[in-house]
Amino acid sequence: MSFMDPLSSLLSGIRAEGSVVSHAVLTAPWTVRFADGAPLTMVSVLRGGGTLLLPDGTERAVGVGDTAVVRGPAPFCLADRPGTVHGPHAEYEIACFTPDAECTAQELGGIRWGTDPDGATALIVGAYRASGHRHERLLRALPPVLVINEEVEVCTWLETAAADAAQRSAGSQALMDRLLDWALVCTLRNWFDQAGAAAPSWYRGLADPVLGPALQAFHDRPAAPWTVASLATRAGVSRALFAKRFTQVMDRPPLAYLTECRMADAEALLADTDLGIAEIAKSVGYADAFGFSAAFKRHRGLSPSGFRAAAAA
């Protein structure tokens, strides 16, 4: 069985699908409103720049080589400068996931496409759909906006790929969607690497030389009857040393982390599948539905059936 690390698992429910705006070339003054309600939106600045304006009043400047990931679902704006929103300017809106939207690599809302040698702002935008609830744990680990600066060569490559997609040749949209998926993974991984202690514990733990092997084993087989002793064996250290190290790095004891992960998996299965409670209990490491239901209610405040009904509503 191949190893599914936590980041890959959480990203498995979120994808770019027909949601690319490529080579949007804008001449100031302008604003672009992002009204998708998407869980995540990624904006890469190929040339020029602007300021992200978030609903909470946050302003974040982005320039050449910057890739910003904005956590949804609230609408937000990108403007050439903050003051533009209060004066005459060209207004555009991107809403890829609204009914009858045509948000592909083509002209959208009056935005001019193509290469501008005069250096007007050029963007690539990807909005990401979610299937189910598994991605919600990832969103809770992210700030409202994060910005990573990419190498110039990466921007050039992205622009070339976007230009190909804009020509709407066979397979171009699928190519761009997969490229945006790849770019999102790389951007998040780079941000987590740079975040250090601010990165989520499930990410930090995998990089730890002691905890890494044990966490890989658990995430590979989360339903196995893991104990602190068996995880310590995987780590190659004593039970006491493993428990101490785990609590230091992960901010909680080993069994508390295992339970948290299993409850998160159970939530996704309850909300996104029709599996019975007994089946879900077994898949997340509980011997019977009774023990699982008691643990779930203790940790979530609702019975599994109550949680499923609430999620459906």
Side-chain angles (χ1 to χ4, degrees), residues 30-143:
W30 52 264
T31 62
V32 179
R33 183 173 185 268
F34 298 84
D36 277 308
L40 288 176
T41 302
M42 188 172 67
V43 181
S44 294
V45 182
L46 305 179
R47 293 192 304 280
T51 301
L52 287 164
L53 307 173
L54 303 188
D56 64 359
T58 297
E59 298 181 0
R60 184 68 182 268
V62 289
V64 177
D66 284 341
T67 292
V69 176
V70 182
R71 192 183 67 203
F76 65 96
C77 289
L78 177 67
D80 63 297
R81 59 185 184 85
T84 289
V85 297
H86 303 298
H89 62 277
E91 297 180 76
Y92 307 101
E93 182 172 284
I94 294 175
C96 304
F97 302 150
T98 56
D100 302 320
E102 293 185 2
C103 193
T104 54
Q106 56 185 305
E107 185 175 353
L108 178 73
I111 296 176
R112 184 162 54 85
W113 308 91
T115 301
D116 188 338
D118 296 328
T121 295
L123 310 170
I124 290 180
V125 177
Y128 295 82
R129 294 179 187 267
S131 58
H133 295 73
R134 187 172 295 275
H135 70 287
E136 291 173 357
R137 189 177 176 211
L138 172 64
L139 297 187
R140 290 194 292 269
L142 299 178

